[in-house]
Amino acid sequence: MSRPRLFSVPEAIATELNLTELRTHDGAGRVLLSGRDLAIYGIDKALDEGAEELSPDEAKEIFHI
């Protein structure tokens, strides 16, 4: 089983997906979402709009999980 893809996305994307209340925030306007969260929105579209793919270690450091 492969590891899930993790993304730091602008809050506007999470708001459009109705996930702002359900996901972890970094306190600087970004939200941690999985690739599964972004499947409907489109990962390429999210990346074009400022999302960044993170390693699990980066996600832990940035989002304090």
Side-chain angles (χ1 to χ4, degrees):
M1 185 171 185
S2 63
R3 66 178 174 90
R5 294 176 72 184
L6 301 171
F7 297 87
S8 172
V9 303
E11 195 166 323
I13 294 173
T15 298
E16 189 169 330
L17 294 169
N18 294 317
L19 294 173
T20 53
E21 299 300 319
L22 303 172
R23 299 295 184 263
T24 303
H25 296 254
D26 69 355
R30 298 188 67 82
V31 181
L32 181 63
L33 298 182
S34 70
R36 182 173 278 181
D37 291 332
L38 287 175
I40 293 173
Y41 191 82
I43 291 174
D44 290 334
K45 180 180 175 184
L47 291 169
D48 288 344
E49 294 177 7
E52 298 175 47
E53 188 163 6
L54 303 175
S55 71
D57 288 337
E58 289 172 319
K60 287 176 187 174
E61 183 178 322
I62 294 168
F63 290 93
H64 307 289
I65 54 172

